Amino acid sequence: MINLPLLPIILPFLFAILLLFFKENIRVQRSLTLIGLLASLVAALFLVFKVKADGIQAVTLGSWPAPFGISMVSDMLAALLVTTTILLTLFIVIYSFSSIGEGRERFFYYPAILFMVTGVNGAFTTGDIFNLFVFFEVLLIASYVLIVLGGEKKQLRESIKYVLVNVISSALFVITVAFLYSVIGTLNMADISVKIAQVGQPGIITVIAILLLIVFGVKGAIFPLYFWLPGSYAAPPIPVLTLFGALLTKVGVYAIMRTYTLFFVHDIGFTHEILSVLSILTIIAGCIGALAYFDLKQIIIYNIVIAVGVILYGAAQMNESGLAGAIFYLIHDMLIKGALFLLIGIIIYVTGTSNLRKMGGLIQTHAPLGWFYLIAAFGLAGIPPLSGFVGKLLIVKGAFEAGNSWGAIILLASSLIVLLSVIRIFIYAFWGKPVAIPQTDRRPYRNMMMPAVVLVILSVLYGVGTEWLFPYMTDATNGLLQPSIYIDAVLKE
Amino acid sequence: MKTNDVILQTTTKVVFFIIFLFSIHIFFAGHYTPGGGFVGGLLTTGALVLLLLAFDLKTVKQALPFNFTIVTGIGLLLALGTASASLVFNVPFFTHAFDDFTLPLFGVTSLHTAMLFDAGVYLVVVGAAITIIQSIGGDA
């Protein structure tokens, strides 16, 4: 089956199309979405094992020879990210059943989610820089629908901001690709890498590298370009926020990691230095934001910014530990952000507010919620048996190996602030004197707990099962460290 | 004052078919000359918009009782189906096939599966554009 890398893209797309035909029937919408995601999950798992067994899977569409057609390339990193994406979407969809409300479900909520998954998976899998742009647009346009769906005043205001920023960055993306094409003369990523190596990265290529960093930096929210994120992400309802927080910024991060390990590896002293300085600044900016707010959503949203900084700092080290840590932390962060957003969604549902000062004593009425939140919070901060530990350990190790002691120290200090910011939620919401909370139905609470709890347990297993995951991560790291593996798999010579 | 659109409406009844036939021509010509699914679809939309201008939303909806969201869906299915046929033959996704057929009226004609993909694009363009115009123009 040579088309296996494409199945996790085609299946959500197919089911999204089918859902267009059953607009009014919510039951059909829900079950088709579940079937589609389960089928995609099976395909993605098959893909991971296939890549593990036989190396990078590359297919060039339309039976054209490699640099001329559009290549789709699944290396281990892409396959793992695709699997994580589908897994998370599955939980978020189940969570949506009891929280999103019928009004939204009737207006193409599930098709929009599936179209977004199509775009995200495509962006992870593609081996063509302009095709990457197309998949970015697919996921962005679906995300515009999701952010504005429902039409509350706040959503309308923030979606204008969100659309404006993304339209500008997309235009910049096209301009950058045009520059790259006029210098290099090809759009296939493997071929670009070969051609850049041939000309030895002159100044103009370094300029293009920085332009691409700006483009993907806007999508992935790095330091001076993250300004749109806190407001926009707070507007949509929790399941949509979870989808955005866990997946969208990570696509930008992935694109930076891919281009900075495959294309621009000949002038590391300049490009990667800028990347690491920016990621440290991103961490600091995120930390300030995470401490500044007394609002559940904003605290976790600023934690996204911190995580983006941490992952990119690991990737900027360009050594084995740094990159392996970045990959570990990337997947950990997708899982744990998913779990945390779902949990605070339940807290907001139970208390009816997202203001920390108006909460208290929840541990007496909702004990399981409290303990699972605490586990997720410890996982986020990177307490040893849990999932965030190995990634950050490797990133810090990589930074010390590369001689960036100060960066490593700031990164370690940021863990404390992350822990403080999420524990503050625990202390204010769960300890203290019980505050009168509105009477809410127990049934949706239980239905919403289920996916969140499973996600927390998965993230714990991810931390405990590090040893078992290590061979997969090593494959992914090798793919990034040695572009020749990637190039050979695509160009097949 | 009651306006009288008799000239506009009569001209539209003729011009609509000319534009529509031209759009079909552009659609089929796409493989060898400028044209294809996208322009063809936009021209058809143009013809329908002319109908909407000369008459009103309700009349046009009665004349063309399609749900244009469904049209978009069918178009997407057609495009994806053409591309996915390659899954069955285990060749790379999007591999097209073509052959020469002897058709009763046209003689020897070269038929290419890219045309089916273009038909999908055509339906998506028409469906999406008319949906936009109907939902901005209508009350509901």
Side-chain angles (χ1 to χ4, degrees):
Chain A
M1 187 74 184
I2 48 176
N3 287 309
L4 190 60
L6 284 152
L7 280 186
I9 308 169
I10 300 173
L11 284 172
F13 186 44
L14 173 68
F15 279 87
I17 298 170
L18 290 180
L19 288 181
L20 293 179
F21 294 96
F22 306 102
K23 179 169 176 258
E24 292 298 325
N25 194 333
I26 292 177
R27 193 182 285 262
V28 175
Q29 291 260 337
R30 289 178 176 179
S31 41
L32 270 183
T33 311
L34 272 188
I35 295 169
L37 284 171
L38 283 173
S40 324
L41 184 62
V42 171
L45 286 173
F46 258 113
L47 180 61
V48 169
F49 292 120
K50 178 88 176 156
V51 172
K52 180 71 195 146
D54 302 344
I56 296 177
Q57 298 292 306
V59 51
T60 304
L61 301 189
S63 304
W64 297 104
F68 306 113
I70 292 171
S71 297
M72 300 302 265
V73 190
S74 264
D75 61 347
M76 189 45 97
L77 176 61
L80 287 175
L81 287 173
V82 162
T83 314
T84 319
T85 301
I86 296 172
L87 196 66
L88 269 171
T89 314
L90 189 62
F91 288 117
I92 293 166
V93 162
I94 296 174
Y95 185 90
S96 306
F97 289 167
S98 41
S99 73
I100 196 74
E102 279 199 13
R104 287 189 169 92
E105 282 179 307
R106 273 185 208 284
F107 270 90
F108 303 116
Y109 173 72
Y110 297 116
I113 286 186
L114 288 181
F115 278 126
M116 204 181 100
V117 171
T118 309
V120 172
N121 283 347
F124 285 145
T125 313
T126 186
D128 183 287
I129 192 85
F130 196 76
N131 199 234
L132 178 68
F133 167 76
V134 174
F135 276 120
F136 261 116
E137 287 307 299
V138 171
L139 73 91
L140 282 173
I141 289 173
S143 76
Y144 301 156
V145 174
L146 286 172
I147 201 172
V148 81
L149 190 65
E152 293 159 22
K153 192 178 174 190
K154 194 176 169 200
Q155 283 181 301
L156 293 173
R157 187 185 62 226
E158 295 300 334
S159 65
I160 291 177
K161 215 196 285 175
Y162 180 73
V163 172
L164 202 61
V165 167
N166 278 305
V167 165
I168 290 170
S169 87
S170 294
L172 193 57
F173 194 177
V174 175
I175 294 168
T176 312
V177 170
F179 272 139
L180 189 64
Y181 187 70
S182 67
V183 178
I184 295 297
T186 178
L187 291 172
N188 186 298
M189 290 202 202
D191 206 27
I192 292 175
S193 176
V194 173
K195 298 271 163 66
I196 289 181
Q198 280 169 4
V199 294
Q201 196 162 346
I204 184 72
I205 299 282
T206 309
V207 172
I208 291 169
I210 298 302
L211 277 174
L212 274 184
L213 182 64
I214 295 173
V215 169
F216 297 138
V218 174
K219 318 263 185 204
I222 63 173
F223 164 61
L225 308 166
Y226 72 98
F227 55 88
W228 55 273
L229 183 131
S232 299
Y233 276 23
I238 289 289
V240 178
L241 166 60
T242 317
L243 213 53
F244 284 17
L247 302 180
L248 287 195
T249 50
K250 306 303 181 290
V251 185
V253 171
Y254 166 81
I256 293 178
M257 281 170 75
R258 181 62 81 202
T259 49
Y260 272 62
T261 53
L262 189 61
F263 299 172
F264 311 115
V265 287
H266 307 284
D267 191 10
I268 294 183
F270 185 74
T271 49
H272 288 58
E273 193 64 37
I274 286 193
L275 182 59
S276 45
V277 170
L278 284 182
S279 34
I280 287 294
L281 289 174
T282 310
I283 295 175
I284 294 173
C287 285
I288 293 171
L291 286 184
Y293 283 90
F294 262 85
D295 183 282
L296 285 179
K297 282 188 190 174
Q298 291 296 340
I299 292 173
I300 310 290
I301 286 172
Y302 274 101
N303 271 297
I304 302 177
V305 178
I306 302 176
V308 166
V310 171
I311 298 165
L312 286 180
Y313 190 70
Q317 304 310 313
M318 280 305 270
N319 53 23
E320 202 182 332
S321 315
L323 280 171
I327 295 170
F328 255 110
Y329 203 80
L330 180 57
I331 292 176
H332 142 78
D333 193 63
M334 290 167 84
L335 288 174
I336 205 78
K337 285 282 148 53
L340 274 175
F341 275 121
L342 293 187
L343 286 169
I344 65 159
I346 300 173
I347 300 179
I348 293 173
Y349 170 76
V350 168
T351 58
T353 172
S354 66
N355 188 341
L356 269 184
R357 288 201 178 89
K358 292 182 186 158
M359 300 178 186
L362 274 182
I363 200 79
Q364 292 174 18
T365 48
H366 297 81
L369 178 61
W371 297 121
F372 276 105
Y373 176 80
L374 191 67
I375 295 171
F378 282 163
L380 180 70
I383 306 245
L386 300 171
S387 59
F389 173 66
V390 189
K392 214 172 254 178
L393 178 73
L394 286 170
I395 292 175
V396 169
K397 183 164 164 248
F400 277 121
E401 274 171 13
N404 298 324
S405 316
W406 274 110
I409 291 167
I410 292 176
L411 209 138
L412 287 171
S414 80
S415 293
L416 288 178
I417 295 180
V418 168
L419 185 62
L420 176 62
S421 70
V422 282
I423 282 301
R424 231 168 34 144
I425 298 182
F426 184 75
I427 291 173
Y428 276 87
F430 290 97
W431 286 355
K433 236 192 286 177
V435 174
I437 52 173
Q439 274 300 317
T440 44
D441 210 356
R442 284 305 268 207
R443 229 171 67 107
Y445 164 71
R446 253 180 266 129
N447 289 344
M448 280 149 77
M449 273 301 275
M450 200 261 296
V453 165
V454 177
L455 209 46
V456 173
I457 291 171
L458 269 183
S459 82
V460 173
L461 290 180
Y462 180 83
V464 176
T466 305
E467 194 67 37
W468 182 75
L469 284 167
F470 218 83
Y472 295 86
M473 297 300 175
T474 318
D475 277 14
T477 318
N478 286 339
L480 289 186
L481 268 179
Q482 297 158 10
S484 58
I485 304 178
Y486 186 96
I487 293 164
D488 288 345
V490 179
L491 300 179
K492 296 209 173 79
E493 259 97 40
Chain B
M1 194 184 79
K2 195 165 174 287
T3 50
N4 194 334
D5 293 337
V6 73
I7 295 179
L8 179 65
Q9 293 187 346
T10 316
T11 329
T12 300
K13 279 174 193 162
V14 180
V15 169
F16 170 78
F17 288 101
I18 299 174
I19 301 177
F20 184 67
L21 283 178
F22 184 56
S23 79
I24 299 296
H25 168 74
I26 282 277
F27 168 73
F28 279 112
H31 205 73
Y32 295 109
T33 53
F38 187 76
V39 238
L42 277 186
L43 264 173
T44 307
T45 314
L48 292 175
V49 169
L50 182 63
L51 274 190
L52 285 169
L53 285 175
F55 299 93
D56 58 303
L57 267 178
K58 226 161 92 191
T59 321
V60 175
K61 223 172 211 169
Q62 266 171 1
L64 301 163
F66 309 123
N67 180 346
F68 281 92
T69 318
I70 303 289
V71 173
T72 313
I74 294 171
L76 284 172
L77 267 188
L78 198 57
L80 182 67
T82 315
S84 313
S86 49
L87 292 180
V88 182
F89 302 105
N90 203 30
V91 287
F93 191 67
F94 249 114
T95 304
H96 285 295
F98 69 95
D99 206 354
D100 293 329
F101 295 93
T102 315
L103 297 178
L105 213 56
F106 298 94
V108 177
T109 315
S110 163
L111 291 184
H112 199 294
T113 49
M115 200 275 283
L116 291 175
F117 184 80
D118 248 10
V121 174
Y122 175 90
L123 288 178
V124 171
V125 170
V126 172
I130 296 293
T131 308
I132 292 171
I133 290 164
Q134 277 185 345
S135 47
I136 293 177
D139 291 329

